[in-house]
Amino acid sequence: MKTLEDYTIIYDSECPLCNAYTSAFIKTGMLDIHGRQQYTPQINQQWLNVDPVRARNEIALVNKKDNTVHYGIDSLFKILGYNLPVLAPLFRLRIFRLIMTKLYFFISYNRKVIAPGVSFEERTSCTPEFNVSYRCAYLIFAWLMTSIVLVFYARLAVPLISNSNLAREFLICGGQLLFQGAIVGLVRKDRLIHYLGNMMTVSLIGALLLAPMFLLTGIIQSPWLYSGYFMLVVAFMFAEHARRTKTLALPWLISLTWVLYRFIVLGIITISSYA
């Protein structure tokens, strides 16, 4: 790899995703050992041209020679394009840049609910501004992906887990948004949108953990195996949900109602199957 010298990337040290890829830039030699720096609200006192508000939303890459600044996807394209010149023409394509910019913002504006730090977002941290469009897009994306995976997974565990369809799973997942949203809204309305993002991330994580089991369908046909694995994933999801609610300074009750909703749904499905 060629090292892009005299550049410093300003990253969110509390974001596991940001930590991972900026660290990879250093370890692979794309940036030199002094090529990244933690964000602080006073960052523009050191780098005069850095917009501290925009740098929370879009990672900033500063040219230390002339103090010019690249933001967001342009920062990543600058680093990758220097190290992989063959990709430079692709990075200049208008449609590709548009798609990648939208994807970048989709992740960046939701990064605190995708991979939260050890403490809740604070004004002094590198917290992106709240964007209702990208948050809603994320909730819908996680909602749909989770529903699709559950439809196909339920078929592996029949008859131990009742067969399902997309409409039912979509309604169940949407119902939990409303159920938990109503409770959190009563307890701490200011944390509602943050909680819903975290809750749907937990659901998405569960779906991603279930998905690899589809590779075994041609080898193993035991519904007991798939049901048992499903319960292990649910247990992990509960632990992760509890961890995230604690980070959000929400009461333990929220994790209990998260489980209660599932029991209510299970009861309704069981009764309807015998009706």
Side-chain angles (χ1 to χ4, degrees):
M1 291 289 183
K2 297 189 300 180
T3 301
L4 183 61
E5 298 178 345
D6 297 315
Y7 278 86
T8 294
I9 197 164
I10 312 298
Y11 75 106
D12 179 3
S13 62
E14 297 177 359
C15 168
L17 296 174
C18 305
N19 257 314
Y21 75 77
T22 57
S23 178
F25 288 154
I26 304 298
K27 291 178 179 178
T28 58
M30 291 187 177
L31 293 173
D32 62 45
I33 59 173
H34 303 294
R36 72 171 187 159
Q37 179 178 333
Q38 296 181 14
Y39 173 92
T40 68
Q42 296 78 33
I43 195 68
N44 62 331
Q45 293 179 11
Q46 179 180 358
W47 308 106
L48 298 179
N49 290 342
V50 172
D51 181 339
V53 175
R54 187 176 181 185
R56 298 204 314 264
N57 303 327
E58 307 172 67
I59 197 163
L61 180 68
V62 184
N63 185 324
K64 289 183 278 192
K65 286 186 174 180
D66 60 14
N67 286 321
T68 56
V69 186
H70 297 275
Y71 291 96
I73 201 66
D74 289 330
S75 298
L76 304 184
F77 283 174
K78 178 69 177 180
I79 297 170
L80 296 174
Y82 184 81
N83 283 272
L84 302 168
V86 68
L87 296 178
L90 178 64
F91 294 161
R92 289 194 291 268
L93 285 178
R94 192 170 184 177
I95 184 65
F96 182 76
R97 291 181 65 86
L98 177 62
I99 293 172
M100 295 308 295
T101 297
K102 294 295 184 182
L103 178 60
Y104 178 88
F105 281 129
F106 178 78
I107 296 173
S108 182
Y109 279 119
N110 291 299
R111 68 180 188 268
K112 294 295 186 179
V113 298
I114 295 174
V118 295
S119 59
F120 183 66
E121 308 164 13
E122 299 176 353
R123 293 184 180 276
T124 56
S125 67
C126 188
T127 301
E129 295 176 298
F130 175 70
N131 186 292
V132 64
S133 297
Y134 282 105
R135 181 58 53 83
C136 289
Y138 178 72
L139 294 178
I140 293 171
F141 169 77
W143 182 1
L144 181 60
M145 293 303 297
T146 301
S147 301
I148 291 172
V149 171
L150 287 175
V151 168
F152 289 100
Y153 196 87
R155 296 174 185 174
L156 303 180
V158 173
L160 299 178
I161 295 177
S162 64
N163 205 354
S164 187
N165 56 64
L166 183 58
R168 190 179 87 177
E169 292 300 335
F170 198 69
L171 286 173
I172 290 173
C173 194
Q176 186 152 51
L177 278 168
L178 295 175
F179 185 83
Q180 288 293 98
I183 293 171
V184 175
L186 291 173
V187 176
R188 284 206 62 172
K189 189 176 181 180
D190 61 315
R191 298 289 165 90
L192 174 58
I193 195 65
H194 305 290
Y195 169 77
L196 292 179
N198 277 279
M199 186 189 76
M200 292 311 297
T201 297
V202 171
S203 296
L204 189 57
I205 290 172
L208 292 174
L209 289 174
L210 291 175
M213 296 298 282
F214 295 138
L215 299 175
L216 300 178
T217 55
I219 306 172
I220 302 175
Q221 304 296 326
S222 170
W224 290 99
L225 171 68
Y226 297 113
S227 297
Y229 182 72
F230 179 80
M231 295 308 296
L232 286 176
V233 170
V234 170
F236 172 80
M237 290 170 63
F238 176 77
E240 179 63 11
H241 182 276
R243 183 187 73 83
R244 288 172 180 251
T245 53
K246 184 178 179 180
T247 299
L248 290 167
L250 292 171
W252 179 254
L253 168 70
I254 304 303
S255 290
L256 295 181
T257 57
W258 181 81
V259 175
L260 175 63
Y261 174 80
R262 289 294 173 178
F263 277 110
I264 293 173
V265 169
L266 180 62
I268 294 173
I269 292 174
T270 302
I271 292 171
S272 62
S273 64
Y274 287 101

